[in-house]
Amino acid sequence: MLIAGACPQERECFQMKLSELGSATGSRMEFEGGMHQPRKIRVAHVDHTVVSGGAEIALARLINSEPGWEPYLFVPRGSDRAEMLARANFMDVVETGPQQKPGLASAGLRGAFRFSGALARHALALTLSRRFRSVDIVHANSTRAALYSVFAAKLSRKPLVVHLRDAVSSDSLGRIGYRAMTKLVLPAARGVVANSQYTLGTAREHVAAGVVARVIPSAVGLPRRAAPTHERPEVLTIGMVARVAEWKGQRLVLEAFARAFQAGSVRLSFVGGTELGGSDYLRTLRSLADNLGVSSRVDFLGQVPSGAVEALIDDLDICVQASIRPEPLGQNVLQYLARARPTVVADRGGPVEWIRDGHNGRTFRSGDVEDLARVLKELEPREQREALARGASQTPLPTLESVAAMHQDMYVECMRP
């Protein structure tokens, strides 16, 4: 498994080879300064949806940053939000293949056959697409997209880069998804991008020797706060920015909040929309808040415009990440750090690669309501929160430019003969 990137001399040599092969392969060449330069690499970014989840938001930031490659976005037909996802004029959005319905994780035998048929139709549609045939490399942005991209890449004889944003486990992918990822997708990948060391670790045994495998975190998406502000004398608002889903731990946070702040005026805010089919879970949370006697101090703000997230985070005295299974990365954690907020995270998964307990955040035992309640209470004193805010402001974070450069190096490495 190749973790280190290519050195500058190797990349220059490879670019020279591409230039030499340009006329033979029919590649478009640009004439600049009296020298023939190879055209930019064309990358097919394949996603199974344009609904704004973490993977889609991260991809939108990447391909709208005027990267050093030529990006093409492939999404299912009928994706009426495609233009919202790809806002830049230079981005080509190609709608091809059927909509992918949810339910892979819980599909029975009949559902699995229907799902397999949808994957096959999508792979064929990609393969027949003129735009897809013109690209040099395929980047599957999600697990679902990887399940049909692997066949399209094989049929088109194009290298495949699989982006792992979830742990490679049956808990995360479902029984069928896990088998497909470990038996079909990862063995065929030329490159594997993982959003954390934790995520990459769950895939290592399924990745062939010689495959380019790298950790590339998502760009934060929020501006860095130049310096931490003075914290308020008292805690007024505790909050969590995350999709409302059972495994994200909103119930855990709600129960810990009720234990730590049964009385008083401290408020709890949940920022984030529900995933498909998640309205029942939201009703459960509202009912639980009522039963715990804190419903008048709990706000469910739902999905908010991306431009409003910064202000919402800035107004939180304590920010929480509490996923009940290991979080692959936790983009919300990076956003909390970027805005220099006192941050509390579960002690498993990707977030602990960024949080040092007592320095730039606090950790609690994953899934433990009592321990989370204890940590929240310990952050009531202003000096405790100010120390964490200072540590957060000094934490190095990935920039959009650095993330784009790492992706480009990855594509070049994966195209190496």
Side-chain angles (χ1 to χ4, degrees):
M1 187 179 298
L2 302 178
I3 303 297
C7 69
Q9 293 84 357
E10 289 176 320
R11 287 198 294 270
E12 182 179 352
C13 178
F14 179 53
Q15 291 294 335
M16 289 177 64
K17 289 180 180 178
L18 283 180
S19 180
E20 292 170 359
L21 291 171
S23 58
T25 59
S27 300
R28 176 175 59 83
M29 307 297 288
E30 297 176 355
F31 190 81
E32 181 179 337
M35 294 182 63
H36 285 82
Q37 299 292 333
R39 62 166 172 77
K40 290 182 177 180
I41 295 172
R42 292 173 178 165
V43 181
H45 300 279
V46 185
D47 207 313
H48 72 282
T49 180
V50 292
V51 176
S52 294
E56 287 67 44
I57 293 171
L59 177 62
R61 292 184 192 131
L62 180 67
I63 60 182
N64 288 328
S65 66
E66 300 193 33
W69 63 89
E70 223 178 302
Y72 298 83
L73 175 62
F74 291 82
V75 294
R77 287 192 303 269
S79 300
D80 55 0
R81 296 182 62 194
E83 291 303 322
M84 294 178 64
L85 181 62
R87 300 181 182 93
N89 292 331
F90 63 86
M91 250 300 301
D92 276 336
V93 180
V94 184
E95 296 185 62
T96 183
Q99 294 279 350
Q100 294 294 324
K101 296 181 179 180
L104 174 63
S106 57
L109 185 59
R110 181 179 299 178
F113 276 117
R114 286 198 300 267
F115 187 80
S116 299
L119 292 182
R121 291 194 300 274
H122 209 138
L124 182 60
L126 273 179
T127 306
L128 296 176
S129 165
R130 179 179 59 83
R131 287 289 194 187
F132 188 83
R133 293 198 304 272
S134 74
V135 303
D136 303 300
I137 191 167
V138 181
H139 168 213
N141 187 56
S142 65
T143 300
R144 185 73 64 91
L147 295 180
Y148 53 84
S149 295
V150 63
F151 297 110
K154 278 187 173 182
L155 290 170
S156 304
R157 297 184 180 181
K158 299 181 187 300
L160 172 68
V161 173
V162 175
H163 205 134
L164 297 178
R165 302 182 187 273
D166 291 305
V168 180
S169 68
S170 55
D171 285 343
S172 298
L173 306 180
R175 181 175 56 86
I176 297 173
Y178 174 73
R179 287 185 62 83
M181 179 61 69
T182 57
K183 303 299 182 183
L184 295 175
V185 177
L186 290 177
R190 183 79 61 86
V192 174
V193 176
N195 56 10
S196 66
Q197 292 289 350
Y198 164 75
T199 303
L200 183 58
T202 66
R204 283 189 187 279
E205 65 179 290
H206 309 291
V207 177
V211 168
V212 183
R214 294 179 184 163
V215 172
I216 305 179
S218 297
V220 175
L222 293 182
R224 290 297 302 262
R225 176 170 270 165
T229 60
H230 293 292
E231 298 300 312
R232 289 188 282 233
E234 298 178 346
V235 172
L236 299 183
T237 306
I238 296 169
M240 180 175 176
V241 180
R243 185 173 70 254
V244 177
E246 191 167 356
W247 79 275
K248 288 291 187 179
Q250 282 88 359
R251 180 181 185 122
L252 178 75
V253 175
L254 182 54
E255 291 177 344
F257 171 79
R259 296 190 190 196
F261 304 101
Q262 182 62 54
S265 58
V266 181
R267 302 193 68 83
L268 174 63
S269 292
F270 291 112
V271 181
T274 57
E275 62 181 4
L276 193 61
S279 55
D280 288 345
Y281 180 56
L282 182 58
R283 283 193 291 271
T284 297
L285 293 174
R286 292 184 185 277
S287 177
L288 178 61
D290 190 51
N291 293 338
L292 293 172
V294 295
S295 59
S296 64
R297 294 186 287 122
V298 178
D299 303 306
F300 295 93
L301 301 180
Q303 186 74 35
V304 300
S306 57
V309 173
E310 179 182 336
L312 285 168
I313 290 177
D314 286 353
D315 194 50
L316 298 177
D317 297 293
I318 302 173
C319 299
V320 183
Q321 177 274 327
S323 301
I324 59 177
R325 67 173 186 247
E327 179 72 46
L329 170 65
Q331 289 189 55
N332 55 352
V333 175
L334 300 184
Q335 292 178 328
Y336 301 158
L337 293 174
R339 300 308 298 165
R341 305 311 302 132
T343 299
V344 178
V345 305
D347 64 355
R348 296 195 299 165
V352 292
E353 296 172 25
W354 295 95
I355 295 295
R356 262 200 309 143
D357 189 42
H359 172 67
N360 61 348
R362 293 293 307 275
T363 63
F364 71 96
R365 288 190 297 275
S366 179
D368 191 322
V369 173
E370 290 286 354
D371 202 41
L372 175 56
R374 174 187 63 81
V375 172
L376 293 177
K377 286 295 289 183
E378 289 178 357
L379 291 180
E380 280 195 289
R382 175 165 61 181
E383 59 270 19
Q384 293 288 330
R385 288 178 280 118
E386 287 187 336
L388 297 185
R390 284 193 300 271
S393 69
Q394 298 164 5
T395 303
L397 296 173
T399 65
L400 187 54
E401 294 76 16
S402 66
V403 169
M406 286 188 280
H407 274 275
Q408 180 156 348
D409 283 349
M410 178 87 173
Y411 299 145
V412 170
E413 184 76 7
C414 291
M415 287 177 60
R416 191 182 300 263

